[in-house]
Amino acid sequence: MAKNVLEIGYREIILSKVICDSEVLDEAGLTLEVYPSREEACRAVADELVAEIRDRRELVLGLATGSTPLPFYRELVRRRQEEGLSFQGVVGFNLDEYEGLSPEHPESYYSFMQKHFYGQVDARAGHLPPGIYQNAAQACAEYETKIREAGGIDWQLLGIGGNGHIAFNEPGSARDSRTRRIELDERTRLDAARTFGGLAHVPRAALTMGVGTVLEARRIVLMAWGEGKSEILHRALLERETADLPASFLQSHGNVRIVTDMGAGGWALS
Ligand code: GLP
């Protein structure tokens, strides 16, 4: 079946979740689940992660920032506080960091992770690429080494940018790209302008894990919410893989779970 033909039916309806049935997605080892709300979706993803945490002495997590993972972090923190879930076996690696922002900067991803996750759970360690560095290539090589020395990423959380980026792998990023410095797209900077209080304050570059680095994770879970992500997600999953839309490279990973609300994934149900 041609990749751009959308032929999706219902495979299963379990309570409020719909798992979409599609040859294209099956071949890609990819599941797509559409939930009535992002909170329900996040509870389902938290169930998977908690099972992983309980099964292993150590779990290397790849973590994301942005508005997408917020309800997920809220759910994990709730499980820590109300159910005593321990993250002591968890070592985290974030996808990216803005160039020029110190850890104390309120918009740094370091601050974000402290506020929404690490400051509220008992994880063993949490790493991010540096925002301030002397030599970008060296900082990136060191980050890759740290990931390798930790044994590689077991479980990677992802969002998708409005232009189809994953981490800060902007359109044009190669499938085998590694952690590196990247100039941010105008679209990405505009999307970030609100949280930075204006476009002029948004950094022009970042350090990001590469597409190749991300694809080495053994399991990937991508979340997308709202109608604003609907079209780009549809294209990423069903058009041919291309560096113009880096999220499309997930099609050939083999172990990817996509979780959406009705806004981002409703197209799969029609
Ligand atoms: C940033 C992050 C990405 C994230 C994307 C989407 O660019 N570097 O990892 O997926 O934003 O942002 P949001 O979740 O706010 O839509």
Side-chain angles (χ1 to χ4, degrees):
M1 184 162 70
K3 282 224 165 182
N4 58 355
V5 176
L6 175 58
E7 228 173 71
I8 289 178
Y10 303 125
R11 179 186 301 156
E12 288 174 64
I13 301 182
I14 309 169
L15 300 174
S16 55
K17 169 177 73 178
V18 179
I19 299 179
C20 301
D21 189 15
S22 145
E23 262 181 54
V24 176
L25 301 186
D26 270 357
E27 266 173 36
L30 211 148
T31 58
L32 170 62
E33 299 165 24
V34 184
Y35 290 82
S37 72
R38 54 192 77 177
E39 286 73 23
E40 280 163 273
C42 288
R43 281 199 289 277
V45 177
D47 287 344
E48 175 183 325
L49 182 60
V50 168
E52 292 285 336
I53 289 174
R54 293 206 164 119
D55 269 8
R56 300 163 188 245
R57 238 167 29 90
E58 184 168 294
L59 186 72
V60 181
L61 275 188
L63 293 173
T65 49
S67 59
T68 304
L70 282 175
F72 181 62
Y73 292 135
R74 267 199 298 276
E75 176 61 16
L76 293 182
V77 168
R78 188 193 69 73
R79 290 185 194 212
R80 167 82 197 123
Q81 289 170 351
E82 292 174 19
E83 297 168 13
L85 173 66
S86 172
F87 292 80
Q88 272 169 19
V90 166
V91 174
F93 285 91
N94 265 74
L95 290 165
D96 41 24
E97 180 60 284
Y98 288 110
E99 180 176 86
L101 301 197
S102 67
E104 299 75 37
H105 190 289
E107 292 309 325
S108 72
Y109 283 160
Y110 182 98
S111 292
F112 177 103
M113 291 307 295
Q114 274 305 117
K115 181 168 172 202
H116 298 293
F117 188 60
Y118 290 119
Q120 303 195 59
V121 301
D122 57 342
R124 185 181 314 163
H127 303 277
L128 289 96
I132 308 239
Y133 44 80
Q134 294 286 326
N135 178 325
Q138 192 185 332
C140 293
E142 283 169 9
Y143 201 60
E144 290 263 350
T145 302
K146 253 193 243 169
I147 295 172
R148 226 179 2 260
E149 285 175 355
I153 291 170
D154 295 308
W155 198 97
Q156 175 70 57
L157 182 66
L158 287 183
I160 181 170
N163 62 359
H165 71 214
I166 46 175
F168 271 136
N169 289 287
E170 302 287 26
S173 297
R175 192 185 190 285
D176 61 357
S177 53
R178 309 302 306 183
T179 302
R180 67 202 187 288
R181 178 180 186 274
I182 192 157
E183 304 271 342
L184 298 178
D185 264 23
E186 204 53 19
R187 164 76 198 260
T188 300
R189 295 187 64 241
L190 282 169
D191 285 348
R194 201 174 44 85
T195 52
F196 275 88
L199 185 60
H201 303 293
V202 182
R204 295 188 173 275
L207 296 193
T208 182
M209 277 191 206
V211 177
T213 321
V214 169
L215 292 179
E216 276 170 11
R218 296 171 189 103
R219 169 82 161 158
I220 295 178
V221 177
L222 181 139
M223 297 175 163
W225 322 130
E227 280 171 21
K229 296 286 172 74
S230 169
E231 192 196 335
I232 198 72
L233 182 67
H234 180 274
R235 290 183 48 213
L237 299 185
L238 295 162
E239 288 183 6
R240 67 180 174 78
E241 286 191 19
T242 166
D244 295 339
L245 207 172
S248 67
F249 289 125
L250 295 171
Q251 291 175 29
S252 53
H253 177 272
N255 189 10
V256 179
R257 180 184 189 188
I258 313 271
V259 174
T260 77
D261 63 0
M262 286 299 292
W267 51 266
L269 310 182
S270 52

